[in-house]
Amino acid sequence: MENVAPDSEEILFLAMIRRFEELALEKYRRYVPGLATGEKTALVNRLTRCAPDGGELERSPLFQPMEALLKPAGAEGCEATLIIQGLILENFGFRIYEAIEQSPATRGLTKELSQLGRSTSQTTLSRVPSLVRQELGEKEGLFDKFIENSGEVLGQLDPLWEAAEKIFSEKFQIKFSQVLGRVTADLIKNCVELGINRRDLTLYLTGALMGL
Amino acid sequence: METVGNQSTATPSTKEQSMAQLMGLAVFGEKAAAKNYSLIAQLLPPYASILNKFAAMEAKHAADFLEISQVNHVLPDKAFADRELGYLIDQVEEYFAKKDHESLMILQGFIVESLAIATYEPFIDIADEYPGSREAVKRILQEEFYHVDWITRYLRLQYFDRSGEFISLAEKVNRQGVDCVGGSMMNIADALTTVGIPGADCAGIMIDTYTRLLENVGVDQEKSQENVLEIFLPLIRKYRKISGKHSGECGS
């Protein structure tokens, strides 16, 4: 692996994913042990060792929208954890890691941690559907629970996304609307596989993202 | 006042103003649709007969909406409609000048029709508040599906074993077309909500309808969803920012 010190954008990216991954692991350990895998633990340990602890993040425009998202993302309970962390934020994580990993500007530690993050999210995502079925059920009942738990998080995603876009898109040459389109398409696909009606879900997601 | 995709306009504050904007877009949008189908007919002589029939049906829809407006004492807001439709008309003229009938078909037959379907379908739920509208809007909606069905069959056949080329064409038309027509959708979202039709539901129906139309021509579901969402998401962001509907924002 190329030994290059992370630059200012990479430091912010690593500090940001550290916060999200630490929260995800904490929630998984407490409420969904099946997702607190060795791989996830190894990723968080690696991020805790290597990624900055947040001073830079606190001084950046990412901080406020990130805190606004982390608050509802930390909701308690198995139901909230499976929906917010397992279904929504893991999908985001997977596509963000993928985009950063594939960027020609990504080097050294950032590349290594993005690869690790992507593969860890992929493992987590592969386990989520069976756990959701087992704990929360399927179809309309699941959709009601999805609506109950996801609104606040969905409403805070785009403000963070917008702040991230301003900081990262030039450096990593990422078109964020494309990544967000992929994330939303993945989320729809995963939910439809769990029996949620696609049209109802699209209407709900549109409203949630519009802030209505 | 800023707007999402097109020219600036005032946000309607009353049910009457909202209805005037919606009927303005319906009457003058249907007139534009009639012209669009007749332009496609000129570019596609073997199918001119059916396409001119569609044009006549769209012209009748415009007359129907005008009649509904008159019965309900609504004066369709032409200035609003002109501002919303200006960008669409420019695109139509550009495609017509290039004799690009397939781009025109996607723009009119899929994107504009998706906006129409997304607003007429939920309107039926509140139609009883507007005497004379229920049966007319139900028929108009059925006829829009009929147009969309023909356009789908035509494009599916043309691109039967060339779905990759269709994706490229759709992506090209989407860039301007969804930005413009989807922008109009966002600009009428509040007016729709004011008259009792959730604007977010209409936007969602438009996204879902258009995504499915691309799939029906042969585009893979995930690809078509990504493509449509990628263009709608910036419009949704603009809507949220303009409307101050960002939770945590002052005055939200």
Side-chain angles (χ1 to χ4, degrees):
Chain A
M1 186 62 62
E2 193 188 355
N3 189 14
V4 192
D7 61 19
S8 59
E9 287 93 353
E10 289 173 316
I11 286 172
L12 280 177
F13 171 70
L14 295 173
M16 185 176 72
I17 59 169
R18 177 180 164 177
R19 290 287 308 274
F20 277 101
E21 292 293 5
E22 282 174 346
L23 179 67
L25 183 61
E26 183 203 323
K27 295 292 160 194
Y28 291 157
R29 277 184 176 147
R30 195 178 302 169
Y31 299 114
V32 194
L35 296 180
T37 58
E39 207 179 343
K40 195 77 165 178
T41 307
L43 171 68
V44 170
N45 288 343
R46 188 95 170 80
L47 284 167
T48 307
R49 268 203 316 275
C50 305
D53 64 5
E56 293 81 355
L57 200 56
E58 280 175 32
R59 290 185 292 277
S60 83
L62 287 173
F63 187 68
Q64 203 186 343
M66 198 182 77
E67 289 298 309
L69 176 56
L70 283 168
K71 199 177 160 199
E76 304 294 334
C78 170
E79 187 176 302
T81 301
L82 271 170
I83 289 169
I84 296 168
Q85 298 290 344
L87 272 172
I88 301 173
L89 295 180
E90 284 294 345
N91 264 315
F92 267 81
F94 174 73
R95 288 299 184 185
I96 292 163
Y97 285 130
E98 181 188 62
I100 299 285
E101 182 193 348
Q102 288 173 356
S103 163
T106 306
R107 320 150 303 156
L109 181 65
T110 311
K111 185 138 191 129
E112 188 193 334
L113 290 172
S114 302
Q115 277 168 348
L116 190 59
R118 180 191 46 75
S119 111
T120 304
S121 280
Q122 202 163 17
T123 307
T124 308
L125 285 167
S126 70
R127 292 177 177 216
V128 166
S130 60
L131 286 163
V132 168
R133 272 192 199 94
Q134 185 187 310
E135 301 293 333
L136 312 180
E138 290 182 291
K139 300 179 185 172
E140 291 85 2
L142 174 61
F143 186 43
D144 291 342
K145 288 171 186 157
F146 185 84
I147 291 173
E148 232 169 84
N149 288 280
S150 61
E152 232 184 309
V153 165
L154 290 169
Q156 295 298 342
L157 276 174
D158 195 57
L160 175 61
W161 199 254
E162 193 179 6
E165 190 167 13
K166 283 180 188 147
I167 294 171
F168 301 129
S169 63
E170 195 181 330
K171 148 93 183 170
F172 293 110
Q173 296 163 43
I174 293 171
K175 204 177 159 201
F176 274 79
S177 60
Q178 198 171 45
V179 180
L180 193 53
R182 268 187 205 142
V183 171
T184 316
D186 288 344
L187 182 60
I188 292 173
K189 183 172 170 251
N190 294 346
C191 289
V192 167
E193 282 168 5
L194 287 163
I196 293 179
N197 179 284
R198 179 173 144 191
R199 192 176 178 93
D200 293 345
L201 180 66
T202 305
L203 267 60
Y204 167 68
L205 289 174
T206 306
L209 291 167
M210 285 169 81
L212 295 171
Chain B
M1 166 75 195
E2 223 183 327
T3 58
V4 175
N6 307 317
Q7 299 302 304
S8 78
T9 183
T11 302
S13 54
T14 65
K15 205 167 175 177
E16 289 70 30
Q17 285 173 328
S18 299
M19 206 55 196
Q21 287 192 352
L22 296 174
M23 280 299 161
L25 200 56
V27 171
F28 299 102
E30 291 289 358
K31 281 186 180 175
K35 188 181 172 198
N36 296 346
Y37 278 120
S38 77
L39 292 176
I40 302 170
Q42 288 178 48
L43 296 176
L44 211 54
Y47 299 102
S49 162
I50 187 136
L51 288 161
N52 281 323
K53 178 180 155 188
F54 292 174
M57 290 164 89
E58 298 288 12
K60 171 78 168 67
H61 297 171
D64 291 336
F65 279 117
L66 189 59
E67 196 184 324
I68 293 168
S69 301
Q70 284 162 350
V71 168
N72 289 280
H73 313 290
V74 174
L75 182 65
D77 187 339
K78 185 175 185 301
F80 171 77
D82 285 346
R83 284 192 294 268
E84 288 300 318
L85 296 168
Y87 188 29
L88 170 71
I89 291 166
D90 290 347
Q91 279 177 60
V92 167
E93 283 171 359
E94 189 188 320
Y95 290 137
F96 183 70
K98 289 180 184 165
K99 301 191 190 318
D100 184 354
H101 67 276
E102 289 180 343
S103 294
L104 260 177
M105 279 175 153
I106 294 177
L107 182 58
Q108 168 56 44
F110 279 6
I111 302 176
V112 174
E113 295 285 18
S114 293
L115 171 68
I117 290 166
T119 48
Y120 301 164
E121 200 174 271
F123 180 86
I124 293 168
D125 291 339
I126 61 150
D128 289 341
E129 287 180 40
Y130 300 95
S133 67
R134 175 174 290 279
E135 288 314 310
V137 176
K138 266 172 85 174
R139 176 182 43 79
I140 290 169
L141 180 62
Q142 277 170 4
E143 289 177 356
E144 305 299 18
F145 277 117
Y146 171 68
H147 302 161
V148 160
D149 189 21
W150 190 87
I151 298 283
T152 306
R153 290 178 197 214
Y154 176 88
L155 290 171
R156 190 172 173 83
L157 192 60
Q158 295 304 309
Y159 288 91
F160 186 70
D161 55 359
R162 299 183 293 136
S163 65
E165 285 174 52
F166 179 71
I167 293 168
S168 305
L169 175 70
E171 280 174 349
K172 183 196 81 174
V173 181
N174 284 351
R175 266 192 291 277
Q176 283 186 302
V178 173
D179 191 53
C180 147
V181 184
S184 288
M185 175 75 252
M186 295 299 162
N187 288 341
I188 59 169
D190 288 339
L192 288 161
T193 304
T194 304
V195 302
I197 308 168
D201 283 3
C202 297
I205 294 172
M206 184 177 177
I207 292 171
D208 187 59
T209 302
Y210 184 48
T211 306
R212 286 172 197 265
L213 290 175
L214 295 181
E215 285 170 37
N216 290 344
V217 177
V219 180
D220 162 77
Q221 180 184 323
E222 227 170 311
K223 180 89 192 155
S224 115
Q225 204 133 43
E226 274 177 36
N227 191 279
V228 175
L229 286 165
E230 185 192 331
I231 301 169
F232 265 98
L233 288 167
L235 298 172
I236 289 175
R237 174 186 292 173
K238 282 186 206 165
Y239 169 83
R240 206 194 59 239
K241 290 180 81 169
I242 292 165
S243 309
K245 281 170 179 141
H246 168 300
S247 45
E249 209 169 71
C250 295
S252 63

